[in-house]
Amino acid sequence: MEKDYLTGALDRHGLYEWYGSLKKYTILQFMFLDLDNFKMVNDTYGHSTGDELLIAVAKILETCMEQATCVRLAGDEFVVVITGRVKREKVVAAAESINNRIQQKEGFSNIDTDVSASIGILLNQSSSEPLNEILFKIDAAMYQAKGNGKACYVVFNDIADNVYNEVMMEQHQLEALENNEFEIYYKPVINSQTSRLVMSEARIIWNMADGTKKQQEEFIHLFERNGFIRELNLWAFMEVCKHISKFKKRKTVRATVGIRISKILFGEKNLSEELEVIMGIYGIEKKDVCLEAEEKIFLRGSEKMVSAIKVLQEKGFSTAVINVGVEFTSIKYWDKLYFDYIIFDAYYLKGALKSSRGKMVIKTLFSIGNELNVRVVADGISKKEDVIFLGGCGCVAVSGEYYSKPLPAKEYNLYVDGKLAYGRKETEFRFLNGFLSSDGECKGIVIGNVKLEKGISSQWGSVYFPGGHAMENVIIIPPLVLSEPSYTIGMWLKPELTSSWSSSIYARYIGGFMSHSPFVIGGNSVFRISEDSDLNGWHDVFSRQIHINKWSFVCMTYDSGVSRYYINGRKCGYKPDIPLLPVCKQIIAGGDPFQDSYKGYMSALIFYDNAMSEDEIKEWYHSFLSEDGFQGEEETFWDLEDSSTIFH
């Protein structure tokens, strides 16, 4: 029988001869070995040292078990065949012993490179099956061992169903594409502060002919190995462009759609041109799509991937790195690649959120992303408390079952229309000629004596509240302006009296109330939400007092159990774990039913039916500063790059 010239083991042809000489139905155990880091040995020490390594490994395999036949199949690939029935434990122990002996460098101690073996095992195989089928099985097991991190083994008998499933998928992949079995689903990424859509992520679902529905994770990596991913990826990009084109015709607010791009496509020089052609067909702009790169593409050949992504970014494409946390291989490129989104892996977050140290790491990573001015996204979130924690860490872009599972395009449209706030409802009181809102839908009812005066700018009047006892000299505002569970309230205040606990705005709900007091004991102001059913249900966000006889812009938001308080465009505090107060019954401007009324001016009172983000409120504040006849003073202290300059 033919033998390998170098190691003396059987070669591939010799294996076929040997296998053909066996009696039919002989029971055999197989191991397929591929050496880890063998190429590094050859590149570092030369081929002669590599040959010495192969000879040493062959000797280890020949002595691994009784009745073991060693075969050098090709290069650094070996097969070991053990004749007869052998218990699983004994074969596994032999595989572990082989790896230990190789890692201890038995017979080749003259190299420093770490060497090990990825091993695929097949148990109790009859010789009645063609050898090619057997080699396929042990190769599949070895490949998975390699993917599991090397220096380990995988038993084919344990993964047989998955392997045959992959074979079936490969056989039907082209037919499935032709028969429209693939479908695009969408998963929303939501701003947890505003409940508005940040982006939509496209996912490929396979509706198989037998009625089975396969998720993207079940087939995408197989298609990457066999190359079909290129064709499928371009089809998916075209489908997404079709859907975006329909979205745009509906005249709703758009958000970016993220679509995963395979490593194969990223490596192609003409990718941008190919994508631009597809986008041109459907009238899609680059801002409408975001090209997503899996973090694992930075494992090998990273420099090529970095260059490819840089080119796309320079050409105006938005980009994202997804599944961050599986390997953390992308972090070293965060300073080189200007990603628009960093999307953290669902399984990583699920584990990290279980411990205090894990939460500390999450907070640090999110802080880095925010400092780089990248939108940080948390994937796979299903619990309200996790949404609140992540928001406190600076991550307000969240996806997962807490908001919605992935949906087909038609259902996703309904979800968007029914669940997401696209057309923000605004109710503003300008107080120029009376107490009617600008849209004419809400009219304030005056109780007592209040006067209309000049406001924060020529575009706004104001109300002067003279103060008084509880419920004296106030305005009753229709409660429908706070009919949604999320809200934003903004107003300019110029108080004349530091009356402790007097409310500038107060809202009574079934089961509790909301109020803002410019002055409270201790030199603070407070945004308070209180629930009647809990004696300790005082949820207060404290900050500095509002200036006397000086205009200040005050803003309060509530959403998803979190209240936030802003003064002059800057967030000054927040409070989590706040219950939702359902059904607003009464809104009072200038006082409340329990304390002396507010004395001073109020201008530009505006209600929104969802929570604005920190950046939006900052922009809102600055928009007043440029208005004609602005009567306030811009607060610039927090904008100084070096706050120490205030002491000079």
Side-chain angles (χ1 to χ4, degrees):
M1 296 180 186
E2 290 189 17
K3 294 189 176 183
D4 174 49
Y5 72 96
L6 179 65
T7 63
L10 292 178
D11 61 13
R12 179 183 286 271
H13 192 267
L15 172 62
Y16 277 84
E17 286 186 287
W18 178 86
Y19 188 76
S21 69
L22 294 173
K23 291 182 179 180
K24 203 171 185 181
Y25 304 115
T26 300
I27 299 301
L28 304 166
Q29 321 298 320
F30 287 83
M31 286 189 281
F32 189 118
L33 293 88
D34 180 88
L35 294 181
D36 306 322
N37 299 327
F38 178 71
K39 184 178 184 300
M40 189 180 298
V41 172
N42 268 342
D43 292 345
T44 304
Y45 297 94
H47 288 279
S48 60
T49 301
D51 289 346
E52 292 175 8
L53 170 58
L54 295 173
I55 294 169
V57 169
K59 289 181 179 178
I60 291 172
L61 299 181
E62 288 169 355
T63 58
C64 69
M65 285 187 69
E66 295 179 1
Q67 300 196 13
T69 300
C70 177
V71 182
R72 184 187 176 201
L73 203 62
D76 61 336
E77 296 178 340
F78 291 85
V79 171
V80 177
V81 189
I82 300 105
T83 307
R85 290 189 178 275
V86 182
K87 290 184 177 180
R88 175 189 177 109
E89 293 78 10
K90 193 171 182 179
V91 178
V92 167
E96 291 175 341
S97 174
I98 289 169
N99 234 329
N100 288 335
R101 292 167 69 182
I102 293 175
Q103 288 176 304
Q104 291 169 9
K105 301 179 181 177
E106 183 179 310
F108 58 97
S109 57
N110 58 328
I111 64 174
D112 293 327
T113 304
D114 291 332
V115 182
S116 58
S118 297
I119 305 175
I121 298 174
L122 176 62
L123 300 173
N124 298 319
Q125 173 65 52
S126 170
S127 64
S128 60
E129 186 168 351
L131 181 58
N132 285 342
E133 294 295 325
I134 294 172
L135 292 176
F136 164 77
K137 293 177 182 179
I138 53 179
D139 179 69
M142 183 278 295
Y143 188 90
Q144 182 159 323
K146 185 80 76 174
N148 288 351
K150 305 179 182 180
C152 62
Y153 66 87
V154 168
V155 178
F156 177 83
N157 309 64
D158 298 338
I159 64 168
D161 290 344
N162 291 336
V163 172
Y164 290 132
N165 185 40
E166 287 191 350
V167 171
M168 182 273 296
M169 287 192 291
E170 281 191 297
Q171 292 172 344
H172 292 88
Q173 59 192 28
L174 285 172
E175 180 184 353
L177 188 58
E178 293 170 358
N179 293 338
N180 298 315
E181 292 180 17
F182 294 106
E183 183 180 5
I184 301 297
Y185 276 44
Y186 292 94
K187 179 176 66 173
V189 177
I190 305 296
N191 184 316
S192 62
Q193 285 185 315
T194 65
S195 296
R196 298 180 71 190
L197 188 66
V198 174
M199 69 182 296
S200 304
E201 285 198 277
R203 296 173 56 82
I204 305 173
I205 303 297
W206 188 352
N207 300 307
M208 304 189 79
D210 63 0
T212 303
K213 186 184 293 290
K214 289 194 175 294
Q215 301 297 314
Q216 182 171 284
E217 293 78 11
E218 298 180 74
F219 56 80
I220 207 76
H221 298 304
L222 167 67
F223 293 162
E224 284 182 332
R225 294 200 303 269
N226 66 25
F228 179 65
I229 188 61
R230 185 186 189 281
E231 191 169 354
L232 182 63
N233 213 168
L234 290 174
W235 168 87
F237 188 83
M238 184 174 292
E239 286 294 299
V240 167
C241 288
K242 287 181 186 177
H243 292 159
I244 293 175
S245 179
K246 292 180 180 179
F247 294 161
K248 292 169 73 173
K249 289 178 182 178
R250 295 171 68 237
K251 297 182 180 179
T252 56
V253 175
R254 301 197 309 268
T256 300
V257 177
I259 179 168
R260 180 187 175 280
I261 301 296
S262 75
K263 181 178 180 178
I264 293 174
L265 278 179
F266 271 126
E268 295 185 358
K269 292 183 178 179
N270 64 339
L271 174 62
S272 62
E273 289 79 4
E274 195 162 6
L275 297 182
E276 286 169 355
V277 168
I278 296 173
M279 294 164 65
I281 294 172
Y282 298 100
I284 303 305
E285 302 173 63
K286 289 178 180 176
K287 65 180 181 180
D288 294 326
V289 295
C290 177
L291 309 182
E292 298 181 343
E294 273 200 294
E295 186 179 52
K296 72 170 190 175
I297 73 170
F298 297 103
L299 278 170
R300 299 182 184 88
S302 299
E303 296 307 319
K304 182 179 179 181
M305 290 297 103
V306 170
S307 298
I309 293 172
K310 276 185 177 179
V311 169
L312 291 166
Q313 291 174 340
E314 290 167 358
K315 293 191 175 184
F317 283 97
S318 295
T319 57
V321 56
I322 64 175
N323 303 135
V324 174
V326 175
E327 298 285 350
F328 282 117
T329 53
S330 69
I331 291 180
K332 63 180 178 179
Y333 299 106
W334 288 5
D335 63 332
K336 300 178 179 67
L337 293 172
Y338 294 88
F339 291 114
D340 296 273
Y341 302 89
I342 294 174
I343 303 178
F344 281 83
D345 182 71
Y347 292 104
Y348 166 71
L349 291 175
K350 183 178 180 180
L353 285 167
K354 291 180 179 179
S355 69
S356 58
R357 289 183 65 84
K359 289 181 176 180
M360 290 172 63
V361 173
I362 290 173
K363 188 173 184 178
T364 301
L365 291 170
F366 289 173
S367 176
I368 295 172
N370 290 328
E371 286 291 326
L372 293 172
N373 198 26
V374 178
R375 172 78 76 156
V376 178
V377 179
D379 188 20
I381 304 302
S382 59
K383 298 179 181 179
K384 180 178 180 179
E385 55 265 32
D386 290 339
V387 173
I388 294 171
F389 169 77
L390 293 168
C393 295
C395 175
V396 296
V398 177
S399 65
E401 291 187 2
Y402 181 76
Y403 288 106
S404 173
K405 63 182 181 181
L407 298 170
K410 289 184 179 179
E411 289 183 35
Y412 191 71
N413 286 344
L414 295 174
Y415 172 84
V416 165
D417 289 340
K419 297 290 182 67
L420 301 180
Y422 271 83
R424 176 183 285 156
K425 174 65 175 177
E426 173 185 342
T427 304
E428 63 177 27
F429 293 88
R430 289 188 172 263
F431 301 131
L432 287 169
N433 301 308
F435 304 98
L436 187 67
S437 63
S438 297
D439 58 12
E441 295 182 4
C442 298
K443 184 176 182 180
I445 306 299
V446 175
I447 296 179
N449 180 28
V450 301
K451 294 190 299 182
L452 296 176
E453 300 284 355
K454 292 182 178 180
I456 186 62
S457 74
S458 58
Q459 298 182 35
W460 305 88
S462 72
V463 176
Y464 176 71
F465 296 98
H469 297 300
M471 291 301 292
E472 289 184 351
N473 305 318
V474 298
I475 300 174
I476 306 299
I477 294 174
L480 64 88
V481 301
L482 290 178
S483 60
E484 294 294 331
S486 300
Y487 60 78
T488 299
I489 304 172
M491 56 190 165
W492 284 89
L493 297 176
K494 187 169 75 169
E496 288 188 339
L497 179 68
T498 56
S499 177
S500 189
W501 293 106
S502 292
S503 296
S504 65
I505 195 81
Y506 173 94
R508 181 68 194 177
Y509 287 80
I510 293 178
F513 70 87
M514 174 277 294
S515 71
H516 171 260
S517 298
F519 310 101
V520 296
I521 296 171
N524 299 310
S525 62
V526 65
F527 171 33
R528 165 170 285 181
I529 294 176
S530 177
E531 51 182 332
D532 297 339
S533 60
D534 188 348
L535 292 176
N536 297 314
W538 303 93
H539 305 284
D540 297 335
V541 183
F542 290 100
S543 185
R544 56 187 166 92
Q545 285 187 345
I546 305 304
H547 291 294
I548 286 288
N549 297 316
K550 182 178 179 180
W551 285 108
S552 296
F553 182 57
V554 173
C555 192
M556 293 83 68
T557 72
Y558 173 85
D559 182 63
S560 300
V562 182
S563 61
R564 295 177 173 85
Y565 181 27
Y566 303 80
I567 298 176
N568 290 333
R570 179 179 173 82
K571 186 170 72 174
C572 48
Y574 76 99
K575 186 81 172 180
D577 302 323
I578 299 175
L580 173 65
L581 298 179
V583 189
C584 181
K585 303 293 290 182
Q586 182 186 50
I587 302 173
I588 305 166
D592 63 57
F594 309 104
Q595 304 292 332
D596 288 346
S597 294
Y598 164 77
K599 184 176 182 180
Y601 296 84
M602 177 185 292
S603 181
L605 175 61
I606 304 177
F607 299 85
Y608 288 103
D609 66 352
N610 55 32
M612 297 176 73
S613 69
E614 186 173 349
D615 288 341
E616 289 174 316
I617 289 172
K618 185 176 181 179
E619 291 176 9
W620 188 14
Y621 167 68
H622 283 284
S623 70
F624 285 101
L625 306 182
S626 59
E627 292 181 350
D628 291 339
F630 178 68
Q631 298 297 306
E633 297 178 15
E634 180 180 2
E635 186 172 84
T636 59
F637 172 84
W638 299 110
D639 295 330
L640 295 175
E641 293 184 5
D642 181 3
S643 60
S644 64
T645 57
I646 66 173
F647 299 111
H648 296 294

